[in-house]
Amino acid sequence: MNKTTTCVLVTGVGAIIGQGIIKSLRMTGPPLKIVGIDRNPSAFGAKYCDAFYAKPVSENDPHYPEFIKAVVQIEGVDLIIPGIELDVFYFDENRELFQDSNVKLVLNHHSLIEIAKDKWKTVQTLINHGIESIPSTLSKEWSDCITLLGPPPLIMKPRHGNGSRGIVILEDERDFNYWKSKTNQEFMVQRIISSMDEEYTVAVFGLGDGTASAPIILRRTLASSGSTLTAQVILEDTSITNMINTLNQLFAPIGPTNYQFRKEGDKVFLLEVNPRISSATSLRAAFNYNEAWMCVEYFLHGIPPEPINIKNGRAVRFVEDYVEYL
């Protein structure tokens, strides 16, 4: 690779998002130099990178900034794309690390990252702006939950976290008391909206002023990890599009942003917002919506996404073996 080649650092390459970002970057545009970082020295995504570094210390270690700055300098990194939520939070809290350099960070607005960290804060933000939200409560009493939310089943979910991690179904008061005693996290209880057959993951690329690229809407089912297992492109859904426009105006996202919804009849309810690239990114790229490449164009060159001809289709993820003979 010569010095004129754009170098992109992708973090979390041992996870499905980081690997999806790499796959998407390899699909289009001029060749890139891709540098990977992961906590696991044996991270599988390293095999798709031009260079790879295992994190020698955690993000909380005072020596971590030295490590990340050294990688950037050695490899000549131009752009950093966080591949996991933890790294989004780290770079958001340490934006000054590269403010005196030419290195660009793919980061959303700090205000949106803060709202998205806490699902209860997300719900309250919607309510405060007159947007109907999923009925929710912080009550630690079962009687309050069913009074406020209706009869079970209900769901308990951590206020902080992503995907479906930590979410449990509550069939009765015994379930509620059991899981309340088991969790060491702040939690909320919500009414169950519709079913998995009406769950949607949507990507937009925000321009920071309330406008964004046209969305790509996928109706999906989930794997046990909480990531997308199967996906069906939805080329047109007015109710979802209207909700997306409302949320874009409210949050004014910048860069890749993921909304997750459930529908109940014609009503659309926001499950969560992820102010980053999400796990379905490689599936979206396969349907011609390549948000990783949009990041290169926009954050490095100021070029907003052009109108996209999204391909119609469906996708499924499956397990494949990788064997390396020694």
Side-chain angles (χ1 to χ4, degrees), residues 175-296:
D175 282 349
F176 177 76
N177 289 331
Y178 174 81
W179 288 111
K180 182 174 69 170
S181 70
K182 287 293 184 181
T183 185
N184 58 1
Q185 303 180 70
E186 294 181 287
F187 68 85
M188 57 193 287
V189 180
Q190 291 186 317
R191 180 164 74 83
I192 296 176
I193 297 295
S194 188
S195 68
M196 286 182 61
D197 294 334
E198 290 295 335
E199 184 156 320
Y200 300 80
T201 180
V202 176
V204 300
F205 196 98
L207 301 181
D209 59 358
T211 64
S213 66
I216 178 170
I217 304 171
L218 301 177
R219 186 166 58 212
R220 68 172 185 172
T221 60
L222 296 176
S224 58
S225 63
S227 61
T228 300
L229 176 63
T230 66
Q232 170 76 52
V233 174
I234 304 297
L235 292 177
E236 186 174 349
D237 188 305
T238 302
S239 59
I240 290 180
T241 301
N242 289 341
M243 177 59 82
I244 293 166
N245 292 336
T246 297
L247 294 176
N248 286 342
Q249 286 294 313
L250 172 60
F251 295 131
I254 184 165
T257 305
N258 170 242
Y259 298 125
Q260 295 176 13
F261 301 109
R262 277 200 180 182
K263 288 185 68 176
E264 198 167 66
D266 290 331
K267 289 186 176 181
V268 179
F269 294 89
L270 180 69
L271 290 175
E272 63 182 47
V273 53
N274 294 305
R276 55 174 173 78
I277 292 175
S278 71
S279 67
T281 188
S282 59
L283 301 180
R284 289 190 282 267
F287 295 122
N288 209 33
Y289 187 97
N290 193 326
E291 57 199 319
W293 186 253
M294 294 178 197
C295 289
V296 174

Side-chain angles (χ1 to χ4, degrees), residues 114-131:
E114 285 297 304
I115 290 170
K117 275 184 181 179
D118 186 338
K119 292 180 174 60
W120 179 254
K121 186 180 287 187
T122 303
V123 167
Q124 295 307 301
T125 301
L126 298 179
I127 292 172
N128 292 340
H129 288 83
I131 301 171

Side-chain angles (χ1 to χ4, degrees), residues 84-158:
I84 55 175
E85 189 174 69
L86 181 67
D87 288 331
V88 172
F89 296 159
Y90 176 80
F91 286 118
D92 179 50
E93 294 166 0
N94 296 276
R95 291 177 183 248
E96 74 283 356
L97 281 176
F98 301 106
Q99 65 182 6
D100 295 327
S101 72
N102 293 323
V103 179
K104 304 298 182 182
L105 291 168
V106 174
L107 283 177
N108 226 303
H109 290 306
H110 173 73
S111 58
L112 178 52
I113 292 172
E114 285 297 304
I115 290 170
K117 275 184 181 179
D118 186 338
K119 292 180 174 60
W120 179 254
K121 186 180 287 187
T122 303
V123 167
Q124 295 307 301
T125 301
L126 298 179
I127 292 172
N128 292 340
H129 288 83
I131 301 171
E132 188 171 4
S133 65
I134 300 174
S136 310
T137 181
L138 295 179
S139 177
K140 302 296 190 295
E141 300 298 326
W142 179 247
S143 58
D144 291 341
C145 292
I146 59 176
T147 298
L148 293 168
L149 308 179
L154 304 173
I155 63 170
M156 178 188 289
K157 64 168 61 172

Side-chain angles (χ1 to χ4, degrees), residues 6 8 20-21 23-34 79 81 205 277 281 285 289-301 303-305:
T6 298
V8 180
I21 292 171
K23 184 176 182 180
S24 301
L25 291 172
R26 297 294 193 200
M27 288 175 64
T28 187
L32 300 170
K33 176 182 177 181
I34 298 178
L79 181 71
I81 305 180
F205 196 98
I277 292 175
T281 188
Y289 187 97
N290 193 326
E291 57 199 319
W293 186 253
M294 294 178 197
C295 289
V296 174
E297 293 279 82
Y298 183 76
F299 285 92
L300 281 183
H301 308 298
I303 303 172

